[in-house]
Amino acid sequence: MTYSENNHQNRAAQSEQGIHTNFKENMTYGDYLQLDRILASQHRLSEHHDEMLFIIIHQVSELWMKLILHETQAAIGSIQGGDISTALKRLARVSKTQSQIIQAWDVLATMTPSEYLEFRDSLGQASGFQSYQYRMIEFAFGYKTSHVLKIYEKDEKLHEQLLEAYHAPSLYDAAIQQLAHHGFTINDDVLNRDYSIAYKEDDSVRQAWLEVYQNVDQYWDLYELAEKLVDIEDWLQQWRFRHMKTVERIIGFKIGTGGSSGVNYLKRVLDQRFFPELWDIRTHL
């Protein structure tokens, strides 16, 4: 080792002398993140190598969904409180998180049909169809379906949590309330509707959004909010599409483990719309 190399190493060592190494009484990175619990939660039910991929992809997706819910629910509160700028920040984070969850399908798609069949029977009737966080995201975005609630009756606490989300105003409901707050005329049956019923498009809402887009400078905050909502629905539909194509690639048109029609079901949900007027007005501008 040359003198300059040795001198460089000494300087590097001296500059890092403040690094903590004694954690007998202090919290570590692993402690803070509870990595012992997280990394011990991948329990394969078969001996097949690729089941580990299958478990981790779905666990990671559920963690991203937890963040999406965290930010969406906070954004709803911000909009209801008239703090649109904070809501925009939170919804921007939702969109970025959605981009991450979409890419998870690319990793899962490295699994071949033959590999999945080696452990598929081990799943029993467990299915992503039963993801309660995904249902809560749908509820938060305004798509309400009562029949799915029966799936969660096994867990009384969870069922109550879903019921609360089912009856709560959605992200779009909060946005429409802001249209009314800004002086737009919105039909009373929209403003005072039963939130447990899936939203149906309304001409007064369409006209309000159309005016926002025709007067961007006057209604900049509402315009920005509308575009964030479009981002979120766009990303959600891309997630659904990648889900559908990944399932088709791996199992074709087999019935899903949870009893759904599999790919056919996933194709149908692509037709669901969350913020319909925001898409309709693009034709009328």
Side-chain angles (χ1 to χ4, degrees):
M1 181 181 295
T2 66
Y3 171 79
S4 61
E5 288 174 334
N6 185 56
N7 193 39
H8 175 75
Q9 286 191 355
N10 288 337
R11 287 201 304 271
Q14 290 173 359
S15 67
E16 304 298 344
Q17 286 182 353
I19 291 178
H20 297 288
T21 58
N22 185 350
F23 288 94
K24 291 181 179 180
E25 304 295 334
N26 297 314
M27 178 177 67
T28 66
Y29 169 83
D31 295 333
Y32 174 67
L33 296 178
Q34 299 186 56
L35 290 180
D36 55 340
R37 296 174 62 189
I38 293 174
L39 298 179
S41 297
Q42 294 73 46
H43 303 292
R44 288 183 293 169
L45 298 179
S46 74
E47 295 300 320
H48 196 273
H49 173 84
D50 287 351
E51 190 181 355
M52 182 64 74
L53 163 65
F54 190 81
I55 292 171
I56 289 176
I57 286 294
H58 287 86
Q59 287 182 340
V60 168
S61 295
E62 289 291 337
L63 284 172
W64 282 131
M65 281 191 266
K66 184 171 184 176
L67 181 58
I68 288 171
L69 280 168
H70 177 72
E71 298 296 343
T72 300
Q73 290 164 350
I76 291 172
S78 294
I79 296 169
Q80 290 172 329
D83 187 0
I84 294 180
S85 61
T86 298
L88 294 176
K89 170 66 175 177
R90 289 167 174 164
L91 294 177
R93 186 172 292 162
V94 169
S95 294
K96 290 297 184 181
T97 306
Q98 288 175 299
S99 71
Q100 294 297 310
I101 204 171
I102 289 169
Q103 291 179 16
W105 295 119
D106 295 336
V107 183
L108 187 59
T110 64
M111 181 184 296
T112 68
S114 297
E115 290 164 344
Y116 181 51
L117 286 174
E118 290 289 331
F119 64 87
R120 187 177 191 243
D121 288 346
S122 300
L123 303 179
Q125 295 179 331
S127 166
F129 185 85
Q130 299 146 15
S131 168
Y132 71 87
Q133 289 198 123
Y134 175 72
R135 296 304 172 191
M136 290 186 70
I137 289 172
E138 284 190 328
F139 291 172
F141 290 175
Y143 184 71
K144 308 289 182 75
T145 49
S146 61
H147 68 276
V148 299
L149 292 171
K150 188 171 181 60
I151 296 171
Y152 311 102
E153 290 178 350
K154 174 182 176 180
D155 185 330
E156 184 177 342
K157 184 177 180 181
L158 175 59
H159 188 247
E160 289 178 358
Q161 185 180 353
L162 281 152
L163 274 175
E164 182 179 353
Y166 179 72
H167 289 284
S170 71
L171 180 60
Y172 200 41
D173 289 316
I176 292 171
Q177 292 284 349
Q178 275 301 307
L179 288 173
H181 181 74
H182 279 74
F184 292 100
T185 301
I186 305 297
N187 289 333
D188 287 340
D189 58 350
V190 174
L191 295 175
N192 301 301
R193 71 187 196 85
D194 181 350
Y195 296 129
S196 68
I197 299 174
Y199 176 80
K200 293 183 179 179
E201 54 192 286
D202 179 85
D203 190 59
S204 67
V205 175
R206 184 182 298 104
Q207 290 301 317
W209 284 126
L210 186 59
E211 187 172 341
V212 167
Y213 274 75
Q214 290 172 334
N215 299 275
V216 171
D217 291 340
Q218 183 178 354
Y219 301 111
W220 179 254
D221 284 351
L222 290 173
Y223 171 73
E224 283 282 273
L225 176 60
E227 284 297 291
K228 281 290 184 292
L229 296 180
V230 170
D231 284 344
I232 286 170
E233 181 167 343
D234 189 353
W235 281 114
L236 179 63
Q237 296 294 49
Q238 290 188 53
W239 181 88
R240 285 174 159 180
F241 179 79
R242 289 296 298 126
H243 184 188
M244 182 268 292
K245 293 306 292 184
T246 302
V247 170
E248 183 178 3
R249 174 173 177 159
I250 296 176
I251 68 168
F253 286 81
K254 290 184 179 70
I255 297 297
T257 51
S260 75
S261 58
V263 169
N264 286 325
Y265 167 79
L266 296 173
K267 284 184 175 181
R268 286 198 303 273
V269 299
L270 286 171
D271 292 330
Q272 293 171 0
R273 298 207 299 173
F274 293 86
F275 318 127
E277 294 87 358
L278 293 177
W279 296 95
D280 291 344
I281 61 170
R282 280 149 166 78
T283 305
H284 302 290
L285 284 171

